[in-house]
Amino acid sequence: MKIEAVIEEKLLSAFSPIHLDVINESHQHNVAPGSESHFKVIIVSKDFEGERLIKRHRAINSLLAEELADKIHALALHTYTEKEWKTYYAENTPLSPKCLGGGKKAG
């Protein structure tokens, strides 16, 4: 099963999201064509109500620990409550940072 599908399946099962996007951004990085190493997740869940951002991210990182250990190089997480999503982000989802390559630094 593709990594993207595994991520989606696990998040759907664990968080019953109102909105979920799992986006393979590997093509924007210096990796082989068809790679599945860089992802952006946009998830809106009632489970995030009253939870700080760090706790939301830790819950997802824990759920995806196996994939993060050896398959995923980068995972951008955008985690929202339903109110946050509707109020701030539904029409303006944050962009992922540009890849600077392995040893390059922003100038």
Side-chain angles (χ1 to χ4, degrees):
M1 181 183 294
K2 290 186 153 219
I3 301 301
E4 184 174 343
V6 170
I7 294 169
E8 186 172 308
E9 183 178 292
K10 285 186 171 187
L11 293 173
L12 285 169
S13 177
F15 296 102
S16 300
I18 298 159
H19 177 91
L20 176 64
D21 287 324
V22 178
I23 304 160
N24 183 350
E25 296 185 325
S26 301
H27 66 279
Q28 298 173 353
H29 302 273
N30 188 21
V31 296
S35 291
E36 287 192 292
S37 57
H38 295 71
F39 291 92
K40 174 166 53 176
V41 169
I42 303 164
I43 183 170
V44 181
S45 176
K46 291 181 182 193
D47 291 355
F48 299 145
E49 294 289 338
E51 299 295 344
R52 294 179 61 193
L53 187 61
I54 188 73
K55 189 166 183 182
R56 299 173 192 184
H57 287 205
R58 283 180 178 159
I60 293 172
N61 287 337
S62 177
L63 181 70
L64 300 176
E66 183 180 328
E67 292 75 22
L68 286 165
D70 64 355
K71 295 176 180 81
I72 299 173
H73 174 74
L75 181 63
L77 297 175
H78 302 280
T79 58
Y80 307 109
T81 64
E82 186 173 10
K83 182 179 178 187
E84 290 168 340
W85 177 251
K86 287 180 177 177
T87 304
Y88 303 111
Y89 299 107
E91 300 300 323
N92 190 24
T93 303
L95 299 175
S96 296
K98 296 213 183 282
C99 181
L100 299 175
K104 298 177 185 172
K105 294 184 180 180

